[in-house]
DNA sequence: GATTGTGAATAGATTCACAGCT
DNA sequence: AGCTGTGAATCTATTCACAATC
């Protein structure tokens, strides 16, 4: 037995590392599109304002992914990162709430890309059921569980008013959905087994506001 | 001179601290809405799943904001955090791009709240100029600079297709805008003095996908 | 008695520097 | 020669433990 026990998946990655891996994946896709075949950590760092050592440290924890003296094989590394991040297969999602934001997300190409497919759109307003929004016919919320099972949906995307967010999260959790992305500015009590990630637009604006301190317009 | 030189604004905060301060601010607003007057770091931690020591460390760097044996005055601390974060005055923003996402953001109540006001919406499609979307009449992109000056706009919000993102960022920068929030899935070359923050929805989905590894649906 | 603010201790993340492949 | 992988060093963030204060 000469196998040095390849450290295939560290039990879990810190959020910082995880985000960086996402960034690396994006960069590799860009390079792949440009037809490049291999890339060194130093090049990657230069082109995308990253740290070369950090890239190597991040990648090394998954085994010896690079070739010394040469660099990383872009296609192979890209595929490996996809597996690590869990985006090597399709994930279907349902958008709950066909209001402004829900409709926009349903039509937004940047959302229906890569490993993710929006499979359905539901709304609890009977007037909305049956309407066609982008590629979807809105289904009534009452049929949520059916929709989830019919389309083998794993992810829920909450685009409902804040006061309805908890109820809709609970309804999603009841269907056996695996995780939820929430766009409502509301605090949601999480159920074990159904992780929720809230995207709060105000936080992004606040980060910008902080940069502007003193900069009176 | 008994003044111990109050450390009013540390030169700059780490992104981690900054995000936590945003979170504290949200919590305090909730508590204020509930009519609570003071709160201890331990209570705050319990109620919102935070760390009490970390809260105290975070706050202590701005001087002695709490009262020993009592806790923090909610209203006073909230106001102080608003100043620290730069959200103690109104920031006006223009949305560039009146497509799906731009229109949704223009109407999204969660975006036009707190210290932030969407003041205008522009689009480079002449067919869209003049259309009314939510509270706004779309202005042509050619008038961007006028719009920015008329409304004393400090922030630009990019909701254009990825291939148009760089040009529109540059156009915003030319108007003298102070910072940009970008929703296009594109890498933008930043100009010094005009910080840009890109919000990539796929990253959020990827974070969820990572949690699902192994969890075959 | 309760709770803050903080120095010391610990844990975690990043960079340095270089040995080891190709 | 060039570049990865990695132990050691450094820097940063968080927690512990307790003195200071109300």
């Amino acid at each position: 037995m000469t196998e040095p026990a390849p450290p295939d998946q560290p039990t879990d990655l810190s959020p910082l590392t995880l985000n960086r891996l996402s960034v690396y994946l994006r960069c590799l896709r860009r390079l792949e599109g440009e037809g490049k075949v291999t890339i060194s950590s130093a090049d990657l760092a230069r082109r995308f304002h990253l740290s070369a050592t950090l890239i190597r440290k991040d990648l090394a924890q998954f085994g010896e992914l690079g070739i010394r003296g040469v660099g990383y094989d872009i296609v192979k590394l890209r595929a490996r990162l996809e597996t690590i991040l869990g985006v090597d297969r399709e994930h279907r999602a349902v958008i709950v709430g066909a209001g402004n934001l829900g409709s926009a997300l349903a039509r937004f190409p940047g959302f229906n890309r890569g490993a993710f497919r929006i499979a359905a759109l539901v709304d609890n307003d009977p007037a909305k059921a049956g309407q066609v929004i982008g590629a979807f016919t809105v289904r009534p919320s009452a049929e949520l569980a059916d929709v989830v099972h019919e389309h083998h949906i794993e992810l829920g995307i909450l685009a409902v008013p804040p006061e309805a967010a908890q109820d809709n999260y609970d309804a999603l959790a009841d269907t056996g959905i695996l995780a939820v992305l929430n766009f409502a500015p509301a605090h949601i009590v999480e159920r074990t087994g159904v992780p929720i990630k809230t995207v709060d637009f105000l936080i992004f604006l606040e980060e910008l506001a902080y940069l502007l301190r003193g900069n009176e317009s």
Side-chain angles (χ1 to χ4, degrees), chain A:
Chain A
M1 266 199 286
T2 45
E3 306 292 65
D8 233 46
Q9 284 294 68
T11 18
D12 71 343
L13 300 168
S14 80
L16 269 69
T17 312
L18 191 53
N19 274 324
R20 280 196 305 269
L21 294 179
S22 276
V23 170
Y24 303 158
L25 179 53
R26 263 162 200 62
C27 297
L28 291 167
R29 283 175 177 156
R30 271 272 289 287
L31 294 168
E32 199 176 347
E34 292 173 13
K36 258 185 127 348
V37 174
T38 58
I39 183 101
S40 70
S41 60
D43 270 6
L44 202 50
R46 252 194 305 284
R47 287 213 30 182
F48 301 99
H49 302 103
L50 307 167
S51 145
T53 328
L54 197 43
I55 292 170
R56 294 202 299 278
K57 263 262 155 68
D58 282 340
L59 298 179
Q61 67 190 303
F62 305 106
E64 304 225 344
L65 267 50
I67 301 159
R68 298 175 189 217
V70 180
Y72 298 88
D73 180 302
I74 290 173
V75 171
K76 231 162 67 183
L77 184 56
R78 194 254 305 134
R80 192 68 204 289
L81 283 177
E82 286 175 350
T83 311
I84 291 163
L85 293 173
V87 295
D88 54 343
R89 62 184 180 85
E90 195 165 278
H91 296 280
R92 279 172 293 279
V94 58
I95 296 176
V96 178
N100 296 322
L101 189 61
S103 310
L105 293 176
R107 281 188 285 233
F108 188 49
F111 212 49
N112 212 333
R113 270 188 333 160
F116 301 98
R117 283 293 154 266
I118 305 299
L121 176 56
V122 308
D123 198 287
N124 72 344
D125 178 355
K128 285 216 175 100
Q131 271 187 29
V132 175
I133 292 179
F136 308 98
T137 302
V138 179
R139 300 272 305 261
S141 293
E143 296 172 15
L144 180 62
D146 298 335
V147 169
V148 167
H149 298 131
E150 278 166 30
H151 291 95
H152 303 283
I153 286 172
E154 298 170 278
L155 302 172
I157 296 171
L158 276 182
V160 299
E163 57 280 9
Q166 182 74 56
D167 285 351
N168 280 286
Y169 167 76
D170 290 336
L172 279 166
D174 285 339
T175 69
I177 220 154
L178 298 178
V180 174
L181 185 63
N182 169 41
F183 285 97
H187 174 74
I188 304 229
V189 181
E190 186 171 334
R191 249 189 239 188
T192 52
V194 190
I196 179 159
K197 181 156 180 61
T198 294
V199 177
D200 186 338
F201 290 137
L202 278 191
I203 290 204
F204 303 120
L205 290 175
E206 280 174 3
E207 276 174 51
L208 290 183
Y210 175 73
L211 297 175
L212 264 50
R213 286 167 1 278
N215 233 341
E216 197 58 44
S217 76

